[in-house]
Structures are given as C-alpha cells and as structure tokens.
Amino acid sequence: MSGPADWWRDAVVYQVYVRSFADSDGDGVGDLPGITARLPHLRDLGVDAVWITPFYTSPQHDHGYDVSDYCDVDPLFGTLADADTLLARAHELGLRVIVDLVPNHTSSQHPWFVEALAAEPGSPARARYLFRTGRGPGGSQPPNNWLSVFGGPAWSRVGETDQWYLHLFDSTQPDLDWRNPEVGDMFAGVLRFWLARGVDGFRVDVAHGLFKEESLRDQERAEVAGGQEGANEGAREMVERTVADEPMWDQPEVHEVYRRWHDILDEAGPDRMAVAEAWTQTPESMARFVRPDELDQAFNFSWLLADWSAAAFADVVTGTLAAVDSVGAAPTWVLSNHDVVRHPTRYGGGPRGLARARAATLTMLALPGSSYLYQGEELGLEQVEVSSEHRQDPSWFRTGEPGRDGCRVPMPWGGQTPPFDFGPAGSSPWIPQPEGWAGLTVEAQAGDPGSTLEFYRAALAARREHARGLGAEVEVRLDAGDVLELRRGPLTVVLNCGDTPTALPQGEVLLSSAGLRSEGGATYLPADAAAWLRSAAVQPSSAEL
Ligand code: BGC
Ligand code: MG
C-alpha cells in the first residue's frame, strides 16, 4: 500500500488480540479469516491501522508469544494464504497492518531449542540460547538470582544435569543469545519475509530485552518493590524494575540491532515502520529506541500506569513530549492492551469507570502522535473475572495470581447470548463471555448516539477533522480544581478529574464524553468528563489589514 511515508506519526492503531477477536471456524478461538471478515468494523470505526498479536506457529503457552516457526501461521489461526488475504483486504479498505515480532525468545518447541536440548553443553546449537552451569553442589542451583517476569526463577534446569537455560518469561520461552550472529541473521530473514508479503510494520515484543549484561551477574534487588495485585502484574513488575539494577534489560548493544532493522525496513519502502514495546527505566532511555536511525516509535506506558488525576496526566503529557522531542520522534499514547487491566476498570469500574475511560480516551486522541486502541475498548468493555478453570495466562500457573486473561475475553459482536457472534451459534469461546454482554455488542451499540461505540466513531472522526496536522506543540494548564486543559493551536481539550462540574472556556464545543449543562451563559463540563473546543478564529488586527 502506498501513501505518505510517515503515516504512522499520527495514526490511530487498533490492536487485535487474534484469539479473541472473531472466530470463523467455531473452534472457540479467533483466527485470521475471522479478522478479515470483521475488518469493515475497523474501517467504520475510523482507525488507520491494525496491529495483530502473534499468529505464527506456536504451542500457545503464552498465546503466540512463544513462536516455533516465525514464517508460518499456526493452524489454529489459519494459513499463510489467509494472512495474504487479510493483508490484501485491509489494504483495500485503506487500513495498514502491523504484525507482532517476538525476538527476545523462541518457543521451547522451536527447532533451534529442540536441537539445543539434544546437543552437548558448549555446542553451537546451545550457543543460540543462554545455557549456563548452575551454582552449588552439582550445579543444582540457578546460575544467578534473576526472576521471571511471570514469577519464579528465570532459569530452568536441563534434566538432572548442571546446565540451566535462561527464560525471562515462561520456561517454554527460552531467551535467545543475541551475541550470536546467527540469531540476528535469522531475524533479518523474518523481517524480510513479512515485508515481502506486504506488512506495513512490526510491533517489537520486549524490545529492550534482547541483550543481557554479558557477565550474567546477579541483580541487586534491594530496590525492587513488593508484589502488585491483579492482572497488571507482569507489566508492572517490569516497571518496578526500572528503579532497580537491571543487568537483564536495556543494554546498549540492543541499539545495533535496531539500526540494522531500520535499514531493512527502508529497503522495503519508505512507509514501513516499527514500534517498540520497551519498558525502560527513564524517558531518556526510551528515546534511544526511537533515534532517527532506529525504530520509529515506542509505546509510552506512562498514561496507562498513571492514576486518575489531572496532575498525573499533566506530567505524563509533558514528560512524554519532552522525551520524544529530544530525538525528533512522534509520541505514542495507550490506555489499554492485552497485558493490563482495561481502563474503565482501572478507573473504578461501573458507570463512573466508563465515564472516566471515555474522558481519558478523548483527551488522548487530541494529542500529537499516535494512539493505540485495544479491541473492545470501543464497546466500553470492562475487565472480566475469569474463573480459575478458564485461566490460561502462564503467570497464573507460575504465581497463582489471576493474570491477564480478564482483558482477553472474546469480543461480543451481536445477538442476545454467548458467543455473541464471536463464533458461529453453538460454539464456545475459549474464555466464557459474561451472560450480561448483550447490551454491549457492536450490533446493540451501532446507531445509538449515547453508546460508547458511537462515541469512539465520533471522536475518531473529530480527530481526523480537527486534530490532524495541528503540529506537536501542546500547552498544558492545570487548575486547582483537578482540571487539565491541553491546548493545541485552535483545539483545546478540557478533562475534569475533580468532583464538581467545571465551567468550560470560551469556544465552540466540538464534542464531549458526557452531556454538558448550560447555565447563566456558561457551559459546564461534569466531573469525570472531557470536551473538545475550538477557539473562535483569531481576527487579524487592523494593523495587518
Ligand atoms: C507481551 C506479552 C508477552 C510477553 C512475552 C510482552 O510484553 O505483550 O503479552 O507475554 O511479552 O513475550
Ligand atoms: Mg477459530
């Protein structure tokens, strides 16, 4: 697909969690033909691009983030021909397609790891991963004190031998040794494979993880904070570590990889991009991933981790803009994804949580840069309590914590009862959907002006009309009543995080996340709401006439 080379700089990207979007064949699991059939929903919503979570061959221990063949489609999700059809249809509809790339680790079923386990210690096959000799008598203790993001030690022992392998995530996700040139060459090939099939970009999983400090020394953990509750655990743990000693993350050598990838993307065309998932220590270290000769964007998780507070959001906006400005990159914004508690629930749940979520979304969409939306947020879906027998997140198995399944419940499209057209009638989604979702389906909300779906459609249309091309400058104002005002040229967004209505400044109200009230010549924005205003055109002064 051709078009402006830097389309991604202000794109709205919609994340599809492949397992939970649309199931064409009734096996209870979403798949590529399911996505293709539902692409018109994304076109009607008004997004620019779709990011699809991993659909490659995988034993599915971490739902595709454990890849055993990077250049094929898992039969659960379809075939390579289905991927081609999806790409072609998306491009026909004017949608770009970003695919997920998982370079930090393979699946333990990847032929390389199978070969490594069968080979001798010290062999070239083992040298593609991080095998090390254990400590203590007989090497029965892990080689260092690193912990897995999913809980427990980051090392697993090879049988009864003194050999262990590193896995920063699940034991079925062995970390590759990026100091081995074979690894870099393999991924260069993977990038070229998908670029040749026509993908527009990559979302780089765990982009800050590829290199570990060469010594593999112990981590100093005095500063690591205690446990976090809920499904944010894995993600938050990564953030907690940002204040600590991190020999396993964000090593300088990783940037060499992204310079190579930058060239590979360039060779494929001026409009191909990559976005990094990099949980780094500081905004400055995040900015290093998006230097002009590296990746194009990095997810900015600061809003997603901020509390409901105008002051916190003001810091997020100022800090983010300053960080990316130093390297000339475009900022990104995200409120929900497949790893964290959905934002209406984070903001308290129920009608108030939803009101706040809509207000936060409207505020985010006014900002320069790109916004990433997560499937189902346009329906106002909340986090679901998933019963333990249906949980599949590896962190649940490793820690007994609920994990991330509650934000991954299959989408409700229509009908009155499960599967709500997620799959054919009579099929059973891999996580049961709440019985009460009939009013939340796309079918139920479409055409209802008060619905969250129509709110998202209106907000995305307003963004195209009023926010695109306004430039990167944002004036941030904070008022004592917990109200945030962001001005971008003629566009102002007001977000009321306080408890009482606030009078809006002068200007034409373009749209709001909740009903407004007019009284005594003023218009009031209720608590937990946001509005966009356009200032009256500035009259040229007589001297200029
Ligand atoms: C992905 C997770 C995944 C992990 C390991 C992440 O950051 O977003 O869903 O479990 O990487 O690949
Ligand atoms: Mg299916």
Side-chain angles (χ1 to χ4, degrees):
M1 192 170 148
S2 58
D6 51 0
W7 60 270
W8 40 267
R9 286 186 81 95
D10 64 358
V12 176
V13 184
Y14 183 100
Q15 179 190 356
V16 164
Y17 193 70
V18 56
R19 260 186 118 71
S20 303
F21 193 62
D23 171 22
S24 71
D25 58 2
D27 63 355
V29 175
D31 43 52
L32 298 186
I35 300 174
T36 305
R38 293 291 186 184
L39 287 173
H41 168 69
L42 304 186
R43 183 221 26 219
D44 297 346
L45 190 58
V47 303
D48 304 292
V50 48
W51 148 33
I52 307 175
T53 58
F55 48 79
Y56 318 109
T57 317
S58 160
Q60 302 294 318
H61 288 292
D62 187 20
H63 292 171
Y65 286 97
D66 48 322
V67 181
S68 55
D69 184 347
Y70 289 87
C71 296
D72 206 350
V73 173
D74 196 285
L76 187 62
F77 301 131
T79 61
L80 273 175
D82 292 329
D84 292 341
T85 307
L86 191 164
L87 279 162
R89 180 76 181 124
H91 290 162
E92 248 168 52
L93 294 173
L95 296 164
R96 311 269 182 171
V97 180
I98 297 172
V99 297
D100 224 306
L101 187 71
V102 190
N104 179 67
H105 42 266
T106 68
S107 157
S108 52
Q109 305 282 301
H110 189 283
W112 273 7
F113 195 73
V114 173
E115 192 189 336
L117 279 188
E120 292 298 310
S123 59
R126 288 213 172 171
R128 295 172 181 137
Y129 294 88
L130 290 156
F131 283 87
R132 289 294 182 276
T133 305
R135 288 175 176 175
S140 61
Q141 298 301 313
N144 71 24
N145 71 349
W146 296 2
L147 297 174
S148 155
V149 171
F150 293 159
W155 295 90
S156 286
R157 193 174 178 183
V158 183
E160 291 302 302
T161 71
D162 63 358
Q163 292 299 297
W164 297 68
Y165 66 90
L166 179 72
H167 52 85
L168 293 176
F169 294 88
D170 191 49
S171 55
T172 59
Q173 295 165 299
D175 281 55
L176 286 160
D177 185 354
W178 272 83
R179 293 176 198 281
N180 182 335
E182 263 191 89
V183 172
D185 291 346
M186 192 265 264
F187 278 96
V190 172
L191 283 161
R192 291 198 172 96
F193 177 87
W194 289 104
L195 287 166
R197 293 198 105 86
V199 305
D200 300 286
F202 297 94
R203 176 263 187 193
V204 183
D205 189 63
V206 196
H208 60 314
L210 277 42
F211 280 82
K212 287 76 182 160
E213 210 177 288
E214 200 163 9
S215 64
L216 300 187
R217 65 171 172 85
D218 274 350
Q219 177 187 29
E220 310 254 346
R221 261 207 301 274
E223 287 175 89
V224 173
Q228 295 281 335
E229 320 86 50
N232 280 0
E233 182 149 31
R236 282 192 181 254
E237 247 184 57
M238 286 193 257
V239 166
E240 292 295 332
R241 284 182 190 175
T242 62
V243 297
D245 176 46
E246 295 184 309
M248 69 290 280
W249 304 120
D250 199 10
Q251 299 299 307
E253 296 91 329
V254 79
H255 297 287
E256 203 50 59
V257 175
Y258 300 133
R259 283 190 275 271
R260 181 174 184 188
W261 291 9
H262 183 98
D263 292 344
I264 295 175
L265 288 161
D266 261 5
E267 279 161 26
D271 56 353
R272 312 296 176 99
M273 58 81 78
V275 52
E277 186 219 21
W279 294 86
T280 58
Q281 295 198 54
T282 60
E284 293 72 37
S285 60
M286 191 253 276
R288 285 200 283 272
F289 288 78
V290 291
R291 287 179 287 197
D293 59 348
E294 297 197 31
L295 303 178
D296 301 292
Q297 295 190 316
F299 289 130
N300 159 30
F301 294 115
S302 50
W303 200 318
L304 183 149
L305 297 163
D307 290 331
W308 178 258
S309 131
F313 294 155
D315 283 349
V316 165
V317 174
T318 351
T320 303
L321 295 177
V324 293
D325 189 49
S326 66
V327 289
T332 64
W333 313 97
V334 54
L335 290 166
S336 279
N337 66 31
H338 67 297
D339 291 330
V340 300
V341 173
R342 284 183 176 276
H343 62 290
T345 308
R346 287 204 313 272
Y347 295 148
R352 189 181 201 198
L354 179 59
R356 289 177 165 184
R358 288 167 52 142
T361 300
L362 192 58
T363 308
M364 165 179 94
L365 289 174
L367 290 166
S370 17
S371 289
Y372 284 78
L373 308 179
Y374 176 50
Q375 70 180 41
E377 69 172 80
E378 77 278 27
L379 305 178
L381 297 188
E382 281 214 43
Q383 193 77 2
V384 173
E385 281 286 333
V386 176
S387 60
S388 49
E389 78 266 28
H390 290 111
R391 289 189 193 141
Q392 297 198 11
D393 185 343
S395 75
W396 153 250
F397 297 112
R398 291 181 66 87
T399 63
E401 295 290 336
R404 301 163 293 176
D405 295 309
C407 62
R408 301 173 173 180
V409 176
M411 282 276 285
W413 293 96
Q416 296 302 313
T417 51
F420 296 116
D421 293 347
F422 165 68
S427 60
S428 307
W430 67 280
I431 299 182
Q433 299 154 307
E435 297 285 334
W437 269 8
L440 290 175
T441 64
V442 173
E443 185 181 65
Q445 295 195 42
D448 170 359
S451 71
T452 300
L453 175 60
E454 292 299 343
F455 164 71
Y456 265 75
R457 288 177 176 168
L460 292 174
R463 175 184 163 96
R464 277 195 304 280
E465 193 179 340
H466 302 289
R468 281 248 158 108
L470 285 185
E473 290 296 307
V474 181
E475 193 187 322
V476 180
R477 295 185 184 193
L478 201 54
D479 107 2
D482 214 8
V483 176
L484 176 65
E485 205 176 297
L486 303 169
R487 294 192 176 196
R488 221 182 138 201
L491 181 68
T492 299
V493 57
V494 184
L495 170 66
N496 187 359
C497 296
D499 296 326
T500 51
T502 185
L504 287 172
Q506 289 300 311
E508 177 200 351
V509 175
L510 297 170
L511 89 158
S512 57
S513 65
L516 306 178
R517 186 169 51 85
S518 292
E519 203 179 290
T523 304
Y524 287 87
L525 177 70
D528 303 319
W532 282 20
L533 295 111
R534 187 170 49 183
S535 54
V538 182
Q539 295 298 321
S541 70
S542 53
E544 285 167 337
L545 285 173

